[in-house]
């Protein structure tokens, strides 16, 4: 018997399958809430991106950064020029990637990620519109954003409510929704 089979033998197959299904149901329910929460801010975000003379610069830290990379890839593949810029790298010289005519999208679950401060400040200084995606309206990201896409309050699929699961699923789906709307509009 392999080490992997020995470690798993304490957990019944039915319990493992049920936990997997529970995570998927939790995330699917959050996506339904997100779909129902879309409002004029979603349209404003699409309009701002369409009106941009430049590209879409996307940033986020940690798991939100991984989601941001996927947003940039999907947008680029569907006709909206986009790049991902790591916020810590931006603070060390890569802020120059953001130029007048661009749109900045900032993704953060808490909205209070310290590494985003320099990016947000620089965008304001050069007049680049900021689209903020976060779960707290009173956060740094949302206070700095010209267009606010607030994620609805939901629990993470993690029992301790700490592992980014449901929140990143909503971020991912929101990016896909924006990219598809933009593709249709183009």
């Amino acid at each position: 018997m392999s080490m992997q089979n020995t470690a798993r033998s304490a957990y019944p197959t039915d319990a493992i399958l049920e936990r997997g299904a529970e995570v998927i149901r939790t995330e699917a329910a959050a996506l339904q809430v997100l779909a129902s929460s879309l409002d004029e801010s979603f349209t404003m975000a699409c309009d701002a991106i369409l009106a941009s003379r430049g590209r879409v610069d996307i940033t986020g830290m940690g798991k939100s950064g991984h989601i941001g990379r996927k947003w940039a890839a999907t947008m680029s593949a569907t006709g909206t020029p986009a790049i991902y810029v790591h916020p810590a790298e931006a603070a060390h010289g890569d802020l120059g990637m953001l130029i007048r005519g661009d749109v900045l999208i900032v993704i953060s679950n808490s909205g209070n990620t310290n590494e985003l401060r320099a990016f947000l400040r620089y965008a304001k200084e050069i007049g680049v519109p900021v689209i903020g995606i976060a779960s707290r309206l009173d956060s740094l990201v949302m206070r700095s954003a010209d267009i606010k896409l607030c994620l609805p309050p939901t629990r993470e699929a993690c029992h301790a409510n700490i592992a980014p699961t449901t929140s990143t699923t909503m971020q991912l789906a929101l990016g896909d929704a924006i990219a598809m709307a933009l593709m249709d509009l183009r």
Side-chain angles (χ1 to χ4, degrees), residues 16-170:
I16 294 168
L17 292 172
E18 179 51 36
R19 179 62 177 133
E22 176 188 12
V23 169
I24 292 168
R25 284 191 298 271
T26 298
E27 293 185 358
L31 291 176
Q32 290 295 332
V33 173
L34 176 63
S36 297
S37 75
L38 294 183
D39 59 16
E40 188 63 25
S41 294
F42 182 85
T43 303
M44 291 168 57
C46 292
D47 288 343
I49 294 167
L50 279 173
S52 168
R53 296 182 329 273
R55 65 180 174 234
V56 178
D57 299 77
I58 303 169
T59 194
M61 192 72 194
K63 303 303 179 280
S64 295
H66 296 304
I67 298 300
R69 286 178 185 88
K70 200 288 191 173
W71 277 44
T74 299
M75 284 187 175
S76 293
T78 56
T80 300
I83 62 166
Y84 172 80
V85 182
H86 193 286
E89 297 296 325
H92 293 276
D94 286 355
L95 280 177
M97 291 184 182
L98 184 67
I99 60 173
R100 281 182 183 85
D102 286 357
V103 172
L104 176 62
I105 296 177
V106 181
I107 307 169
S108 172
N109 186 37
S110 72
N112 288 314
T113 306
N114 204 31
E115 292 87 350
L116 299 170
R117 288 182 188 279
F119 229 142
L120 291 165
R121 187 172 39 253
Y122 185 64
K124 289 292 180 197
E125 287 173 12
I126 66 170
V128 168
V130 175
I131 300 170
I133 290 95
S135 62
R136 297 181 183 135
L137 275 173
D138 63 344
S139 65
L140 167 72
V141 168
M142 297 304 250
R143 286 191 313 269
S144 301
D146 301 296
I147 300 168
K148 301 161 181 35
L149 295 170
C150 192
L151 299 173
T154 58
R155 284 191 53 82
E156 300 292 0
C158 159
H159 289 305
N161 198 33
I162 56 174
T165 50
T166 309
S167 59
T168 52
T169 297
M170 287 192 300

